[in-house]
Amino acid sequence: MRFPSTKTDLPWILAVLLFSLSGCGFSANSSPLPEPGKAVPALNTPVASKDQDVATVAGTSSLKFAERPLEADVRYSNGSAAKVNSIVETLGGGVALFDYDRDGCLDLFATGGGRFTPQRTVEGLPSHLLRGNGAGDFTPVIAGVEASRYFSHGCWAADLDNDGFGDLLVTGYGGLQLFHNQGDGTFTEMADAAQLHDPSWSTAAAWGDLNGDGFLDLYVAHYVDWSFQKHRACNDPQGGQNEICGPKNYGPLNDRMFLSRGDGTFEDVTTAAGLVAGGKGLGVLMGDVDLDNDLDIYVANDTTENFLYLNRGDGHFDEVGQPNGAAVDDAGRPTGSMGVDLADFDSDGLPDLWTANYEHEIFGLYRNLGHGQFLHVSRTTGFATIGDQFVGWGTGFADFDRDGDLDVIATTGHVKRFPSETPVKQLPLVWLQDNGRFIRQSFDPTTYLGTPHEGRGLALGDLDRDGDLDVVIAHNDRPVAILSNDTAATSQWLRIHLTGRTSCRDAIGARLGLKVGSQTVWRQILGGGSYLSQSELNPYWAIPTGAEVGGLTIHWPSGRTQVVQDLLLNTNVFIVEPD
């Protein structure tokens, strides 16, 4: 397979396309563009005040999420039935939201996990692909991505050959799988043909154009050096029962970086890029951390210091996590970091880092001070008030209540079979932001968010096309949960779909600033993030009622800057990179 040129092979003529979506297709009756030079005013409808938001903490949250049933039994199997008690069983799996068939609706992929045989081998179990209908419902399909050569964990979708169809990477114990989207509803596995040779135990990964050539490159995190030959037996200190040994009982595996050659193959540049040894990575994201118009890399490591790689722009990366304040907590200790995200939570124009951590640790919020420097601010922003009994996994920033600022969600669940202080199943965590402070929400115990689970991967996206963000959560040995955001809101919204031409087609690494009132609200299209999962790539804004919306500034990965005026609200806006 040859990758086409991003400059000449895309049949786009217009630089900006605006569509109003109906169902999964593009409506022929799209709203016309407003008169040039005029912004679209928001509707003048009152919303709940901040005092009302705070008042909901005393009782049940104002957020409403309804769990939607799945037609098929889509679950992750962690191999625990064999009673090996291996650390492989603890990680769980992920989910990916992407439109694989380009019908305008988000589809769902979920990894299947694996099993241990009596012959002391590790085998993969089938994964799942489900086609979305744009109403929040999913139907299983057979498309060539089901079989797994390895005990699978994570999944990430990206258009590697810039042909308009999202391809799929699956990590796991034993190696990588790369599924190329044929454009006809089927996929072909091509990791070997693409020279993605990586037999180590891979966990998290991220796609992004690291060298600015218009093709997506890959960072792969690895976990610990476990095998049946190195398997250790640990005991529950209280009951004396067989327990799973944690990551401190095993040495780390080194991460890898692969650069695209632009012809469908990849080159391992781990040494040349300057990657450091060690790690125990469980979360990876790519984003422009220091705002110098290239992609940096943040790696959430389990019990070892997190990595922050700043991109020099010449093919080399400097690991600066410790001196730049993003490697440890506020007491100088490494944390058991799993999930990760990057977003400007305090609206100062600088993207901030977030990690979901292990029990007896505060989840990590790192405020960006500029120039890639960070300050741990979890205590002053309210995250310490939840206690330290949770084990966090999939996570993300999202404006769930559509009040214009970013909230946070995290899945939880223990890794041990017999934890001494907290249960295996734990309550999911949701925080609403109130002027820079995050307030944990409580939910009706008959609902999903009010019930303990053994959660792992998490992805965000608008599954039912109603203008808010829904949630998909993977678990250990329990079906995937689809949570429809049914929260009442009168605010408006905007979602942007970018198509790169000189930039990579998915525009990973783009920064978008929307003028809302007197403020510019920034979003980035990230590679990776959360935990073993891929959220919808299209940036989303909730716009408070009464706020006037101005133009949208786009910093494309290619270095181009584009300003788009006269945006239609409450719709999806499609923008193509100009020549």
Side-chain angles (χ1 to χ4, degrees):
M1 180 191 68
R2 180 182 180 275
F3 284 4
S5 167
T6 57
K7 295 182 179 179
T8 59
D9 290 358
L10 290 175
W12 300 103
I13 299 176
L14 298 179
V16 180
L17 302 177
L18 301 181
F19 291 100
S20 175
L21 298 186
S22 174
C24 289
F26 302 144
S27 170
N29 298 318
S30 300
S31 301
L33 292 177
E35 182 182 344
K38 292 187 177 180
V40 180
L43 297 177
N44 186 19
T45 307
V47 293
S49 69
K50 289 294 182 183
D51 289 339
Q52 289 173 302
D53 290 340
V54 174
T56 63
V57 179
T60 302
S61 175
S62 60
L63 296 177
K64 303 296 180 184
F65 285 89
E67 186 173 6
R68 300 183 66 98
L70 276 173
E71 180 178 320
D73 184 13
V74 179
R75 70 177 64 213
Y76 183 90
S77 297
N78 70 347
S80 59
K83 298 183 179 180
V84 173
N85 293 335
S86 81
I87 193 172
V88 179
E89 302 167 34
T90 66
L91 296 193
V95 289
L97 293 174
F98 70 118
D99 182 7
Y100 85 91
D101 53 2
R102 292 197 64 189
D103 66 350
C105 297
L106 287 176
D107 307 305
L108 169 63
F109 179 84
T111 55
R115 62 188 175 189
F116 305 96
T117 70
Q119 294 75 33
R120 294 170 65 87
T121 61
V122 183
E123 295 182 346
L125 291 175
S127 296
H128 312 271
L129 181 64
L130 298 94
R131 189 171 184 267
N133 68 353
D137 300 315
F138 294 89
T139 302
V141 295
I142 302 299
V145 294
E146 297 76 33
S148 180
R149 289 189 287 170
Y150 310 114
F151 195 122
S152 60
H153 290 302
C155 47
W156 293 268
D159 187 357
L160 304 186
D161 51 2
N162 297 313
D163 65 351
F165 292 92
D167 309 299
L168 189 65
L169 177 82
V170 177
T171 60
Y173 184 89
L176 302 173
Q177 292 187 98
L178 180 64
F179 296 96
H180 177 245
N181 192 332
Q182 301 292 98
D184 60 0
T186 66
F187 293 77
T188 299
E189 208 286 313
M190 55 167 287
D192 291 339
Q195 299 180 28
L196 282 179
H197 303 305
D198 185 7
S200 295
W201 182 7
S202 55
T203 52
W207 292 107
D209 183 3
L210 295 172
N211 57 3
D213 65 354
F215 295 102
L216 291 175
D217 310 304
L218 178 64
Y219 186 103
V220 180
H222 297 99
Y223 196 39
V224 300
D225 189 14
W226 177 90
S227 66
F228 271 108
Q229 291 71 32
K230 298 179 180 180
H231 180 66
R232 299 184 60 179
C234 292
N235 292 323
D236 166 27
Q238 293 185 342
Q241 305 178 78
N242 291 333
E243 182 59 274
I244 295 174
C245 294
K248 291 184 178 180
N249 292 276
Y250 302 97
L253 296 173
N254 297 336
D255 297 348
R256 290 192 181 184
M257 182 184 293
F258 297 90
L259 290 187
S260 171
R261 296 189 179 98
D263 61 356
T265 65
F266 293 83
E267 177 185 2
D268 189 332
V269 296
T270 300
T271 301
L275 300 194
V276 299
K280 304 184 182 180
L282 290 179
V284 177
L285 63 78
M286 290 187 190
D288 191 355
V289 170
D290 51 5
L291 304 184
D292 64 349
N293 297 314
D294 55 27
L295 281 175
D296 309 300
I297 303 168
Y298 189 64
V299 183
N301 289 317
D302 189 6
T303 72
T304 62
E305 293 184 2
N306 295 338
F307 297 149
L308 174 58
Y309 288 102
L310 295 184
N311 192 339
R312 287 188 189 174
D314 60 359
H316 193 278
F317 292 77
D318 295 317
E319 200 292 297
V320 297
Q322 180 64 259
N324 286 32
V328 294
D329 65 12
D330 57 349
R333 299 169 300 193
T335 53
S337 298
M338 275 77 85
V340 62
D341 202 3
L342 176 76
D344 182 11
F345 85 91
D346 52 1
S347 300
D348 64 354
L350 301 172
D352 309 295
L353 288 166
W354 162 258
T355 61
N357 296 336
Y358 195 66
E359 68 178 1
H360 299 306
E361 300 168 354
I362 302 174
F363 287 20
L365 181 60
Y366 301 85
R367 175 178 281 127
N368 193 328
L369 304 179
H371 306 290
Q373 298 282 341
F374 290 87
L375 177 67
H376 192 283
V377 295
S378 297
R379 296 185 190 277
T380 58
T381 51
F383 287 108
T385 62
I386 69 167
D388 59 0
Q389 302 301 302
F390 293 96
V391 178
W393 301 92
T395 191
F397 288 105
D399 189 353
F400 289 121
D401 56 357
R402 289 174 54 176
D403 66 350
D405 57 22
L406 291 173
D407 313 307
V408 177
I409 187 171
T411 64
T412 61
H414 220 290
V415 296
K416 294 182 178 180
R417 297 177 66 236
F418 308 103
S420 59
E421 300 178 38
T422 56
V424 172
K425 294 183 178 181
Q426 301 177 0
L427 286 172
L429 296 171
V430 180
W431 295 268
L432 289 183
Q433 185 182 169
D434 180 38
N435 293 320
R437 189 166 180 84
F438 290 84
I439 303 169
R440 183 187 170 192
Q441 303 296 288
S442 60
F443 294 90
D444 187 320
T446 64
T447 65
Y448 177 93
L449 292 176
T451 307
H453 305 278
E454 196 174 351
R456 291 298 187 265
L458 175 147
L460 303 169
D462 189 359
L463 305 180
D464 48 12
R465 308 178 63 77
D466 63 351
D468 54 28
L469 289 172
D470 309 302
V471 185
V472 181
I473 298 175
H475 311 85
N476 268 345
D477 287 319
R478 180 191 180 281
V480 165
I482 309 292
L483 304 183
S484 174
N485 187 349
D486 295 338
T487 304
T490 57
S491 57
Q492 301 191 87
W493 59 274
L494 179 69
R495 180 174 285 103
I496 301 294
H497 300 245
L498 294 186
T499 298
R501 299 186 67 184
T502 304
S503 304
C504 57
R505 175 110 182 196
D506 285 334
I508 294 173
R511 293 190 297 117
L512 303 90
L514 180 67
K515 189 74 170 178
V516 181
S518 61
Q519 191 175 54
T520 299
V521 183
W522 290 93
R523 299 284 187 264
Q524 286 197 37
I525 300 181
L526 303 177
S530 189
Y531 173 74
L532 305 180
S533 300
Q534 169 76 65
S535 293
E536 178 183 1
L537 288 178
N538 305 311
Y540 166 86
W541 289 262
I543 301 161
T545 300
E548 189 170 284
V549 177
L552 175 73
T553 300
I554 305 169
H555 297 292
W556 291 89
S558 64
R560 287 181 173 85
T561 297
Q562 180 182 9
V563 178
V564 180
Q565 302 288 352
D566 311 309
L567 296 161
L568 298 179
L569 300 185
N570 302 320
T571 189
N572 292 270
V573 178
F574 290 73
I575 302 176
V576 180
E577 183 179 15
D579 290 327

